[in-house]
Amino acid sequence: MWGLVRSGVAPDHPKIKTVAKVFEKVAAEPNFRLFGNIEIGKDIDIEDLTSRYDAVVMCTGSSIGRKLGIPGEDLPGSLSAAEFVPWYNGHPDYSNLDVDLSGTTAVVIGAGNVAMDCARMLAVDPFELDSTDTADHALAKFHTSTIRKVYIAGRRGVEHAAFTAPELRDLPKLEHTDVHIDATQVSEAHARAEAAGEIEKHLASNLEAWRSLAEHPKSGHDRSMEFRFLSAPKEIKGNGKVEEVIFGINKIDNGKVVDTGERYSIPCSLVISAIGYQAAPINGIHFHNGIIENEAGRVLGTNIYTVGWAKRGPSGVIGTNKSDASDVVNLILEDLKEPKATMDIAMLIPSDHQIIDQASWSKINAAEVAAGEPLGKPRVKEVSWAKLLSLGLN
Ligand code: NAP
């Protein structure tokens, strides 16, 4: 429930979660009904919906982490952001994930905002997370963590990084963590971007953020984050668990990324790969290249539509997906001819299966918020399915 807002957005970025207010407004509409705790393809078939409703919109996102495809990726201590993020966000499916923070160094692979979230969560002083809705089990682990150095590795140049400028500009504000980026890598990236033609606004803003990060005075904190660019992961090595990552050093030659053949190693005990996602399969829905097969949001020959990451792939911030959703709503309005009588899908669900409707969700929400109040947190998330469902009954 609440998908990304609950299980994806970093707990130290509460402002991003205010989009939930839009959900609440929609939920207050008299013709809105919520049927939660129902899995398509398991509790109900897609045909049950398509035969009874005018339009079925799949907004199921991308929840599977892409694989690096390098040796050692499956060693204990090597995790995907698709596991680590829902773990610290209290998703019940991940609350028992084995996250070992007993080493000193972690490596995050990928140069996008998800990598940035993972690195920040590992590198900040856990006291900064005490007032957030980080899951209790994760907060306890962060408090005993001995990780002090977090590397973020991008395989291309600084100018190619997918981080957005607001995320970069937030880094110097970290109070207990020094953030390092090699000033030479930044000026070389700037020179390459200039040589390639006029620098567009978004890149100029990112390069400026990098320059100011490089120049930002370091305080000598024992916690640090360090960006390494032109570093392509080649192998994760270790005897029964992660002990080092071997990187190939790339260079940019005439705008192309080229392997120099040189290698270096970062000894570490934890690797998080944050290199993108793909959609999880759903019975009865055709997928192609990690997304639902569709044309501009229409699943051709059906009354199924799709929006967001399930439609386009795992890119774009929440705002991108909001406008994407309204485009698809317009398509539906265009396609709607004679509306069918609305059916109640509750009729299709066995009576002993607990449906979380809006009233049940409000109870869960109120209980979590009330648990957070005395602790100065927005909420304390319940991380067991059984307890979550029982909160919906009270
Ligand atoms: P992303 O922005 O697409 O970044 C993925 C990164 O992984 C890229 O740097 C990519 O490098 C790298 N990569 C891919 N394959 C690789 C490989 N085999 N080896 C090494 N590196 C590899 O994806 P994301 O970080 O998952 O974010 C998804 C979307 O959510 C983005 O639009 C992001 O802005 C958004 N998001 C926003 C926020 C926020 O607003 N605060 C927070 C989290 C996520 P190449 O470019 O070289 O392929």
Side-chain angles (χ1 to χ4, degrees):
M1 194 112 59
W2 299 131
L4 188 71
V5 169
R6 188 172 169 96
S7 306
V9 174
D12 61 338
H13 279 174
K15 266 196 203 150
I16 298 180
K17 298 186 191 219
T18 52
V19 69
K21 287 200 166 61
V22 181
F23 304 164
E24 280 155 21
K25 237 170 117 182
V26 173
E29 293 286 328
N31 54 358
F32 171 86
R33 286 176 307 159
L34 174 70
F35 299 94
N37 192 33
I38 295 175
E39 195 173 328
I40 305 292
K42 191 175 147 212
D43 302 313
I44 194 170
D45 289 335
I46 190 74
E47 294 78 25
D48 289 330
L49 298 178
T50 51
S51 60
R52 289 170 170 85
Y53 288 87
D54 294 296
V56 175
V57 188
M58 305 295 294
C59 341
T60 40
S62 310
S63 56
I64 299 180
R66 282 212 190 107
K67 299 283 273 181
L68 285 163
I70 60 171
E73 184 171 16
D74 296 323
L75 276 172
S78 164
L79 299 173
S80 164
E83 304 168 291
F84 183 61
V85 172
W87 170 76
Y88 64 61
N89 273 328
H91 190 300
D93 285 351
Y94 298 89
S95 51
N96 292 322
L97 187 74
D98 183 15
V99 180
D100 183 356
L101 303 180
S102 64
T104 57
T105 307
V107 171
V108 180
I109 297 172
N113 284 339
V114 171
M116 178 84 87
D117 285 348
C118 294
R120 228 182 32 254
M121 290 298 287
L122 287 165
V124 297
D125 189 317
F127 288 106
E128 295 174 57
L129 300 174
D130 282 348
S131 59
T132 70
D133 61 1
T134 305
D136 281 350
H137 57 250
L139 193 56
K141 265 274 170 75
F142 287 133
H143 271 288
T144 55
S145 166
T146 47
I147 302 279
R148 291 295 177 269
K149 177 97 196 175
V150 181
Y151 290 92
I152 307 187
R155 62 180 171 181
R156 298 193 284 156
V158 175
E159 70 275 36
H160 304 118
F163 309 119
T164 46
E167 318 303 310
L168 290 172
R169 283 197 289 262
D170 272 351
L171 291 174
K173 297 178 198 155
L174 295 179
E175 279 182 47
H176 305 104
T177 310
D178 284 335
V179 184
H180 301 270
I181 167 74
D182 179 0
T184 312
Q185 280 204 333
V186 177
S187 52
E188 285 175 356
H190 200 281
R192 282 192 299 264
E194 237 168 16
E198 201 180 322
I199 303 180
E200 50 103 6
K201 214 169 135 201
H202 154 80
L203 180 55
S205 167
N206 266 21
L207 288 171
E208 178 49 31
W210 284 117
R211 196 189 52 75
S212 116
L213 192 59
E215 287 172 2
H216 188 73
K218 313 296 174 249
S219 306
H221 295 304
D222 66 337
R223 296 175 192 275
S224 67
M225 268 166 83
E226 180 171 335
F227 290 90
R228 289 280 177 95
F229 284 96
L230 296 169
S231 294
K234 296 292 177 193
E235 186 173 359
I236 300 173
K237 281 184 160 176
N239 194 358
K241 61 182 174 59
V242 169
E243 287 172 3
E244 61 175 332
V245 185
I246 309 296
F247 286 99
I249 302 181
N250 285 338
K251 65 176 181 182
I252 310 289
D253 200 355
N254 278 327
K256 287 210 171 80
V257 182
V258 180
D259 184 351
T260 61
E262 286 174 63
R263 301 288 179 261
Y264 75 96
S265 151
I266 300 184
C268 62
S269 56
L270 177 69
V271 177
I272 311 274
S273 56
I275 60 164
Y277 294 81
Q278 60 187 53
I282 297 171
N283 280 338
I285 298 284
H286 293 288
F287 287 85
H288 185 63
N289 284 341
I291 59 169
I292 294 179
E293 237 174 39
N294 75 91
E295 219 167 81
R298 284 187 179 103
V299 177
L300 297 183
T302 72
N303 55 345
I304 303 175
Y305 299 80
T306 178
V307 299
W309 285 16
K311 169 194 165 196
R312 304 185 326 272
S315 68
V317 295
I318 288 173
T320 324
N321 292 299
K322 270 166 84 178
S323 53
D324 184 51
S326 59
D327 289 349
V328 174
V329 167
N330 287 333
L331 286 187
I332 297 172
L333 293 175
E334 241 172 65
D335 291 351
L336 265 187
K337 301 278 181 303
E338 295 274 310
K340 290 177 192 159
T342 315
M343 292 285 301
D344 192 336
I345 63 168
M347 283 168 48
L348 305 168
I349 305 290
S351 57
D352 59 348
H353 183 96
Q354 188 186 347
I355 295 174
I356 298 293
D357 60 11
Q358 187 57 30
S360 307
W361 161 247
S362 299
K363 287 176 192 166
I364 296 172
N365 189 39
E368 288 190 341
V369 170
E373 228 159 342
L375 305 169
K377 296 169 187 270
R379 68 176 63 240
V380 174
K381 284 181 190 160
E382 182 48 70
V383 300
S384 111
W385 281 123
K387 286 188 186 155
L388 259 179
L389 293 175
S390 72
L391 287 181
L393 292 175
N394 295 331

